[in-house]
């Protein structure tokens, strides 16, 4: 587990570390620096947990977590919750798997049936995708250029 815990939901770094210390298959590494640490993070995992349920029915249903793009850039398929914006992207791009409720049952069933071939196909699709799928290549530059045009003398014509 990497990143900052959700202290507002009662999850502290200390609590995560205590849980991780009791489990041989869980490690908590704390905060990271992007983009510097991304290669090592995603090079060490098999799946990206792109499920957010802290505000189910509102923000969690329409947010798109950065880890979806970060993992995709490194060819790591995602797990998303069905009927969410993230789930829609994962389904559209065939870049991982969507989980039905209850998540624990759906996740267990997926892990039981997931094989090397299906995993490899999802990972290949991500690695073969254009880099601009995951990284802003032109959008910000184009926006800045357009804003400069608008703010220049005579550039207030929004029709161009």
């Amino acid at each position: 587990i990497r990143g900052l815990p959700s202290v507002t939901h009662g999850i502290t770094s200390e609590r995560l570390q205590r849980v991780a210390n009791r489990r041989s298959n869980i490690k908590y590494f704390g905060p990271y620096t992007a983009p510097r640490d991304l290669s090592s993070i995603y090079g060490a995992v098999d799946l990206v947990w792109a499920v957010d349920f802290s505000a189910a029915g509102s923000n969690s249903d329409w947010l798109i977590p950065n880890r979806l793009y970060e993992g995709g850039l490194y060819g790591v398929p995602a797990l998303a919750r069905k009927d969410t914006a993230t789930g829609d992207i994962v389904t559209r791009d065939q870049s991982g798997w969507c989980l039905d409720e209850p998540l624990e049952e759906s996740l267990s069933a997926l892990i039981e049936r997931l094989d090397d071939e299906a995993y490899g196909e999802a990972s290949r699709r991500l690695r073969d995708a254009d880099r601009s799928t995951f990284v802003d290549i032109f959008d910000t530059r184009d926006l800045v250029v357009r804003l400069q045009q608008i703010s220049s003398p005579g550039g207030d014509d929004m029709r161009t």
Side-chain angles (χ1 to χ4, degrees), residues 72-143:
L73 182 63
Y74 291 96
V76 182
L79 299 175
R81 191 163 51 96
K82 193 173 185 179
D83 298 325
T84 64
T86 303
D88 292 346
I89 291 171
V90 168
T91 299
R92 180 195 70 207
D93 297 345
Q94 297 179 331
S95 58
W97 298 271
C98 288
L99 304 172
D100 288 310
E101 298 288 345
L103 293 177
E104 58 276 11
E105 290 176 20
S106 184
L107 178 60
S108 293
L110 171 68
I111 297 299
E112 287 176 5
R113 74 174 186 274
L114 187 59
D115 60 20
D116 289 341
E117 184 178 344
Y119 179 85
E121 287 175 16
S123 182
R124 267 190 299 286
R125 272 191 292 278
L126 290 166
R127 288 191 315 271
D128 291 345
D130 189 88
R131 182 174 170 81
S132 65
T133 303
F134 310 112
V135 177
D136 176 18
I137 305 291
F138 302 113
D139 290 346
T140 301
R141 182 203 63 197
D142 293 349
L143 176 62

Side-chain angles (χ1 to χ4, degrees), residues 7 12 42 81 101 151:
V7 176
T12 64
Y42 292 101
R81 191 163 51 96
E101 298 288 345
S151 65

Side-chain angles (χ1 to χ4, degrees), residues 136-158 160:
D136 176 18
I137 305 291
F138 302 113
D139 290 346
T140 301
R141 182 203 63 197
D142 293 349
L143 176 62
V144 169
V145 167
R146 183 66 184 123
L147 290 172
Q148 288 171 333
Q149 291 170 343
I150 292 169
S151 65
S152 67
D156 57 351
D157 184 357
M158 294 292 289
T160 59

